[in-house]
Amino acid sequence: MQLQGGMEACRRPRTTVAQSSTTALNADLSKELGAQAPLGFFDPLGLVADGDKDNFDRLRWVELKHGRIAMLGVVGYLVTYAGVRFPGAEDIPSGFAALDNLPGMVWAQMIATWSMMEAANQDQYAGPWGTNQNALGESPAEFKGDFRNGFIDFGWDKYSDDQKMRKRAIELNQGRAAQMGILGLLVHEKLGNVDQLLPPHF
């Protein structure tokens, strides 16, 4: 009887874990941020077909981050195409041609800048890239990608929950558009007709 009772006790937690895992894998992702008109929840490759919420949140953060980088990329491309240069870099062309004309020191400065931006744009209340919790305490971040770290606000805390979701959706959509935009600019540059999209030194 004791053996049977012990076996039953061992079985109960496993059942609870299994039920919890099943719930996590059956999350309704159609109501998540980014699932909006006209496509709604759009997952043609089935990346989150199993309903894994943790995997969905990771992919959503990857999309948000790539969108932010693409927005910077579009602005940088347009600014350099317009002829704006730092002092001493007036002879460096824009677009892909710049890669073959950048001095080694400029490459070093760029890599250092990227590294600092990557280190700064993190949840400082968590370990590097969210690997663990550090000694700073509970993170004030409201979502993955919220890097205010209790330092800057710009009125965010005054928004209602609906306004916050709207602002986040706007950023996500602008990031999606920027990803398509920078890809289009680079493709047309390689095709040799980017000047048909952008007037010379606009």
Side-chain angles (χ1 to χ4, degrees), residues 29 34-35 39-50 56 59-60 63 176:
L29 304 178
L39 296 177
F41 180 68
F42 186 65
D43 182 25
L45 299 180
L47 298 178
V48 289
D50 57 359
F56 176 85
L59 292 174
R60 170 62 72 241
E63 180 185 17
R176 289 169 172 173

Side-chain angles (χ1 to χ4, degrees), residues 65 69 72-73 99 102-122 129:
K65 183 174 183 178
I69 294 171
L72 291 172
L99 300 178
L102 291 178
M105 184 55 66
V106 174
W107 277 108
Q109 292 172 354
M110 288 170 55
I111 293 172
T113 301
W114 294 337
S115 301
M116 287 189 294
M117 291 175 66
E118 182 69 19
N121 287 287
Q122 296 287 332
W129 296 277

Side-chain angles (χ1 to χ4, degrees), residues 10-46:
C10 290
R11 285 182 189 143
R12 289 189 198 103
R14 290 178 184 174
T15 303
T16 303
V17 171
Q19 291 174 346
S20 176
S21 299
T22 302
T23 301
L25 293 176
N26 290 331
D28 182 8
L29 304 178
S30 64
K31 296 181 176 61
E32 292 292 327
L33 177 72
Q36 54 200 45
L39 296 177
F41 180 68
F42 186 65
D43 182 25
L45 299 180

Side-chain angles (χ1 to χ4, degrees), residues 54-91:
D54 290 337
N55 184 44
F56 176 85
D57 289 341
R58 183 187 68 81
L59 292 174
R60 170 62 72 241
W61 157 234
V62 170
E63 180 185 17
L64 180 63
K65 183 174 183 178
H66 281 96
R68 289 172 175 176
I69 294 171
M71 286 188 274
L72 291 172
V74 169
V75 172
Y77 191 100
L78 296 178
V79 167
T80 54
Y81 185 86
V84 179
R85 296 289 187 278
F86 285 115
E90 292 84 1
D91 296 332

